[in-house]
């Protein structure tokens, strides 16, 4: 068979849908041989790049899809499942050094269960996440030492057991591949050492129990770090230099590549699905090939079929929320008191604490009062505000929570107590609480009722254990619980909690939704003309389905189940999922849409370029950028616009329209301090007589959790 270029006229003389064997030489010098249909590889075929890379396997409409084998000039190979050009599914990768990984992949990354055999004789068998050992796993060194336990970001982290070939073993907590926290070291003769472990000798504390009076009393715990673990180094994974998805070509269209003048629009061409790229170009479903100096690569990764245009957006720029509390503001003195108290609490010297807290630390009576006279005292500075008393609730617990959440004490104080004033949000919440934001948007401060304070203290042990066990928890992060008591005749008490601000980001939040899964009263009353990026929309305003990448969607589902189970056990209800969207293609035009303000719209012919597949691969493999992406934080995703039926007034989830937008997502579970008390039970009984009981927010925690999850799992889906 003669060799033809990819735009050979033979492609247009065949009926649409016919599959045949072809050999194609591309303009770049690459070569394809195999099954061909509608001007695209489709079926089994071989693609050879000029740099020596080769793929042999299954294709689907121009993309590697199914079983295949990819080989690199270095001698590295991958054999297994492909999806949309990515290594995705089950597969085996052997790198150029001889290291072998066999297991699960998601979008070019080792993710799921897998086994890694290193050429030096080491072996890891266990869970992987985003390319690194993460979860439960077993690592065995060539000298037969082995570790069984928890991993995090490629290091031994969490609870685990190290067993040496000489019979010694350590059982306990780990951090960064070294013992940290409570643990026990046992010798083969039965002697053991129990204590708190740390690389810092000053933090090390424990007791040695020999089996006989002739035990090794000269032994020091630091020998474990310097001697016993010296040969227990975890091998790193060799980075894949060029990913198969970066090599995948995108094929020339036909109707727009007619410079030779001998082509006409055939009936088969006109029948192919047409789509508009974000920069306004129209193609017939085939994609464009551009030279980047090292081969041809894809520049537009929009799906070929069944997708509507990704329309660019025109959205009002987000304004900074709240009013700055300056001198003369009614809450100016309260702000000063708060800042003085925080500076005192966080700056107070305290001994290093283990993450394993004693039960006494959670005692409701565990609180510290400090008096702040205006003229100052031995422990407090003079200040311009009135005299007040300051209370810290469970200070050891919240100090440990800040440590657990990796909050630097100096940054924390600077954010809340620096020279910049706090900002008060324009209106109090539905509960009557007031909200304050730090100037850098890092923290939110909420005033609390006594009942809410009691709920938080009651659930604090379970909350601590939950956030410690679940690194990706979506529930609100609490950093401190305090009270200001003004002296004098008023004797006013103001309780408040310090929380993380979910929308502390360099991205503008263009749309925000507060979602509960109920319909009664869940519609924003503002007219469309008054809705701006700071407006919090509700369930019946929602007109999107959020589509997450496969690995993130799986993690999201697992975490929502865990968080809801925790809240249900604590008898909490009336919580919601706060979602913020940053539209990546938002236009700088600040004009407000005249209609349909709940869904940003704009001129479809004035877009900005999207991330190409190669750009996305580089983004996913860039360690700094990958580290900034966490569940609910800075997550690249897509949203699909939905439309509600006009005959169904309280339809919670609209019908998908096929119109997609690229977004950055932020989300978390908020308002987790409302228990199902007598007032909520009465509210449920009263509203159930007037409205559909399933539509109201005030329901039993078990029913609330079930309804919340049912709704969330309808509006979040895997991006296929």
């Amino acid at each position: 068979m003669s060799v033809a270029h990819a735009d050979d006229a033979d492609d247009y003389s065949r009926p649409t849908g016919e599959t045949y064997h072809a050999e194609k030489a591309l303009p770049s010098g690459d070569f394809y041989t195999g099954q061909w249909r509608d001007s695209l590889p489709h079926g089994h075929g071989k693609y050879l790049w000029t740099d020596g890379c080769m793929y042999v396997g299954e294709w689907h409409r121009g993309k590697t899809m199914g079983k295949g084998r990819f080989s690199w000039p270095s001698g590295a190979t991958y054999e297994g499942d492909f999806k949309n050009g990515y290594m995705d599914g089950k597969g085996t990768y052997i790198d150029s050094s001889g290291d072998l990984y066999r297991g699960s992949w998601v979008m070019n990354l080792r993710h799921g269960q897998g086994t890694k055999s290193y050429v030096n004789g080491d072996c890891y068998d266990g869970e992987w996440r985003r390319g690194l050992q993460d979860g439960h796993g077993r690592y065995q060194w060539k000298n037969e030492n082995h570790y069984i336990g928890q991993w995090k970001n490629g290091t031994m982290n969490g609870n685990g057991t190290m067993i040496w070939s000489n019979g010694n073993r350590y059982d306990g907590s780990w951090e960064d591949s070294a013992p940290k926290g409570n643990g026990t070291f046992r010798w083969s003769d039965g002697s053991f050492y129990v204590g708190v472990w740390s690389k810092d000798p000053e933090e090390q504390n424990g007791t040695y129990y020999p089996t006989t009076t002739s035990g090794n009393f000269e032994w020091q715990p630091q020998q474990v770090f310097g001697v016993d673990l010296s040969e227990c180094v975890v091998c790193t994974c060799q980075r894949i230099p060029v990913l198969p998805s970066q090599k995948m070509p995108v094929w020339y269209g036909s109707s727009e590549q007619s410079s030779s003048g001998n082509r006409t629009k055939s009936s088969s061409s006109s029948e192919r699905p047409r789509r508009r790229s974000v920069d306004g170009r129209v193609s017939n479903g085939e994609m464009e090939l551009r030279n980047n100096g090292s081969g041809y690569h894809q520049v537009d990764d929009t799906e070929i079929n069944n997708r509507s245009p990704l329309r660019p957006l025109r959205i009002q720029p987000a304004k900074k929320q709240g009013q700055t509390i300056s001198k003369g503001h009614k809450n100016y003195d309260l702000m000063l008191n708060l800042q003085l108290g925080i500076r005192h609490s966080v700056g107070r010297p305290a001994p290093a604490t283990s993450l394993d807290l004693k039960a006494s630390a959670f005692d409701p009576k565990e609180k510290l009062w400090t008096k702040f006279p205006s003229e100052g005292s031995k422990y407090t500075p003079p200040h311009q505000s009135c005299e007040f008393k300051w209370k810290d609730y469970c200070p050891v617990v919240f100090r440990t929570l800040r440590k657990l959440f990796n909050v630097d004490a100096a940054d924390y104080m600077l954010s809340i107590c620096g020279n910049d004033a706090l900002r008060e949000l324009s209106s109090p919440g539905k509960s009557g609480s007031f909200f304050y934001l730090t100037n850098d948007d890092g923290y939110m401060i909420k005033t609390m009722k006594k009942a809410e304070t009691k709920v938080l203290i009651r659930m604090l042990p379970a909350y601590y254990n939950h956030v410690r066990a679940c690194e990706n928890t979506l529930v609100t992060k609490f950093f401190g619980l305090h009270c200001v008591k003004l002296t004098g005749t008023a004797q006013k008490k103001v309780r408040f909690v310090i929380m993380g601000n979910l929308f502390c980001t360099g991205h503008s939040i263009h749309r925000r939704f507060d979602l509960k899964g109920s319909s009664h009263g869940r519609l924003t009353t503002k007219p469309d003309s008054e809705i701006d990026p700071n407006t919090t929309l509700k369930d019946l305003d929602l007109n999107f389905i959020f589509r997450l990448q496969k690995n993130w969607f799986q993690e999201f589902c697992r975490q929502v189940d865990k968080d809801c189970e925790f809240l249900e056990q604590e008898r909490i209800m009336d919580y919601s999922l706060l979602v913020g969207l940053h539209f990546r293609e938002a236009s700088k035009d600040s004009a407000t849409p005249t209609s349909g303000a709940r869904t940003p719209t704009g001129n479809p012919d004035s877009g900005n370029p999207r991330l190409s597949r190669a750009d996305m691969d580089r983004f996913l493999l860039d360690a700094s950028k990958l580290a900034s992406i966490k569940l609910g934080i800075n997550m690249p995703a897509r949203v699909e616009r939905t439309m509600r039926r006009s005959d169904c007034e309280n339809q919670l989830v609209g019908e998908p329209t096929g119109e997609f937008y690229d977004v950055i997502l932020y989300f978390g579970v908020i308002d987790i301090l409302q228990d199902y008390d007598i007032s909520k039970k009465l509210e449920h009984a009263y509203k159930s007589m007037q409205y559909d009981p399933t539509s109201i927010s005030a329901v039993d925690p078990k029913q609330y959790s079930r309804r919340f999850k049912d709704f969330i799992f309808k509006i979040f889906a895997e991006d296929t």
Side-chain angles (χ1 to χ4, degrees), residues 388-503:
F388 68 95
K389 287 184 178 179
W390 172 264
K391 183 196 288 188
D392 283 319
Y393 295 90
C394 300
V396 174
V397 177
F398 284 103
R399 188 187 314 123
T400 311
L401 279 171
R402 293 194 293 271
K403 178 181 177 181
L404 189 65
F405 294 140
N406 296 315
V407 174
D408 181 78
D411 291 341
Y412 183 71
M413 279 198 293
L414 188 63
S415 182
I416 301 173
C417 313
N419 294 328
D420 296 317
L422 303 177
R423 303 198 313 276
E424 183 180 72
L425 298 191
S426 56
S427 60
K430 185 179 178 182
S431 63
S433 299
F434 285 86
F435 292 86
Y436 304 93
L437 281 172
T438 56
N439 191 64
D440 62 0
D441 289 333
Y443 301 96
M444 181 172 283
I445 301 165
K446 175 189 175 184
T447 61
M448 300 191 31
K449 295 179 180 178
K450 187 175 183 179
E452 289 180 305
T453 305
K454 286 184 175 180
V455 170
L456 178 53
I457 294 175
R458 171 183 63 77
M459 66 184 284
L460 198 54
Y463 172 84
Y464 179 82
N465 291 333
H466 180 73
V467 298
R468 185 181 177 188
C470 301
E471 178 193 3
N472 288 328
T473 182
L474 298 174
V475 298
T476 304
K477 289 181 170 62
F478 295 120
F479 301 113
L481 181 62
H482 312 280
C483 176
V484 169
K485 182 180 179 182
L486 303 179
T487 57
T489 55
Q491 294 286 305
K492 180 182 177 183
K493 282 186 179 181
V494 181
R495 301 172 185 86
F496 56 90
V497 65
I498 301 176
M499 309 175 290
N501 179 20
L502 186 61
F503 298 149

Side-chain angles (χ1 to χ4, degrees), residues 178-461:
K180 181 68 182 289
N182 291 334
T184 302
F185 188 93
R186 300 178 186 274
W187 284 264
S188 56
D189 64 0
S191 304
F192 62 96
Y193 173 91
V194 181
V196 177
W197 294 75
S198 175
K199 287 183 178 180
D200 185 350
E202 294 183 1
E203 295 181 4
Q204 183 80 37
N205 183 27
T207 305
Y208 173 59
Y209 297 91
T211 53
T212 64
T213 55
S214 59
N216 182 13
F217 293 96
E218 299 299 320
W219 178 84
Q220 294 295 326
Q222 293 299 306
Q223 291 179 227
V224 172
F225 301 100
V227 180
D228 297 84
L229 290 173
S230 60
E231 295 182 359
C232 298
V233 178
V234 177
C235 294
T236 58
C237 296
Q238 189 180 96
R239 183 174 177 176
I240 303 173
V242 179
L243 299 170
S245 54
Q246 292 174 312
K247 299 294 292 182
M248 286 302 107
V250 189
W251 308 90
Y252 281 102
S254 55
S255 61
E256 302 225 348
Q257 305 291 337
S258 54
S259 58
S260 61
N262 60 355
R263 293 187 194 166
T264 59
K265 291 184 180 180
S266 65
S267 59
S268 62
S269 174
S270 63
E271 289 171 1
R272 292 174 186 157
R274 296 170 63 84
R275 65 184 178 87
R276 183 181 298 275
S277 66
V278 292
D279 56 2
R281 294 172 304 190
V282 178
S283 78
N284 68 336
E286 299 169 356
M287 294 171 282
E288 185 180 351
L289 203 67
R290 285 189 184 172
N291 197 322
N292 65 357
S294 59
Y296 284 76
H297 71 284
Q298 176 177 332
V299 293
D300 187 350
D301 192 35
T302 310
E303 288 291 334
I304 298 174
N305 290 324
N306 304 322
R307 295 197 180 174
S308 294
L310 276 166
R311 296 193 300 165
L313 309 168
R314 295 169 63 196
I315 305 175
Q316 288 179 290
K319 298 178 181 177
K320 211 161 189 178
Q321 285 183 284
Q323 175 190 3
T324 301
I325 303 177
S326 53
K327 196 162 187 177
H329 190 284
K330 62 178 182 179
N331 288 325
Y332 180 71
D333 283 347
L334 178 63
M335 181 191 74
L336 292 181
N337 297 345
L338 186 154
Q339 291 178 322
L340 284 166
I342 295 292
R343 190 180 291 116
H344 173 76
S345 299
V346 179
R348 184 171 50 230
T353 57
S354 164
L355 295 180
D356 298 313
L357 297 178
K358 296 179 180 178
S360 58
F362 298 93
D363 191 326
K365 297 178 182 178
E366 189 70 15
K367 43 196 167 186
L368 293 175
W369 279 104
T370 305
K371 190 174 182 180
F372 280 78
S374 301
E375 65 277 9
S377 68
K378 182 179 179 181
Y379 304 103
T380 63
H383 57 89
Q384 298 177 350
S385 180
C386 58
E387 182 176 313
F388 68 95
K389 287 184 178 179
W390 172 264
K391 183 196 288 188
D392 283 319
Y393 295 90
C394 300
V396 174
V397 177
F398 284 103
R399 188 187 314 123
T400 311
L401 279 171
R402 293 194 293 271
K403 178 181 177 181
L404 189 65
F405 294 140
N406 296 315
V407 174
D408 181 78
D411 291 341
Y412 183 71
M413 279 198 293
L414 188 63
S415 182
I416 301 173
C417 313
N419 294 328
D420 296 317
L422 303 177
R423 303 198 313 276
E424 183 180 72
L425 298 191
S426 56
S427 60
K430 185 179 178 182
S431 63
S433 299
F434 285 86
F435 292 86
Y436 304 93
L437 281 172
T438 56
N439 191 64
D440 62 0
D441 289 333
Y443 301 96
M444 181 172 283
I445 301 165
K446 175 189 175 184
T447 61
M448 300 191 31
K449 295 179 180 178
K450 187 175 183 179
E452 289 180 305
T453 305
K454 286 184 175 180
V455 170
L456 178 53
I457 294 175
R458 171 183 63 77
M459 66 184 284
L460 198 54

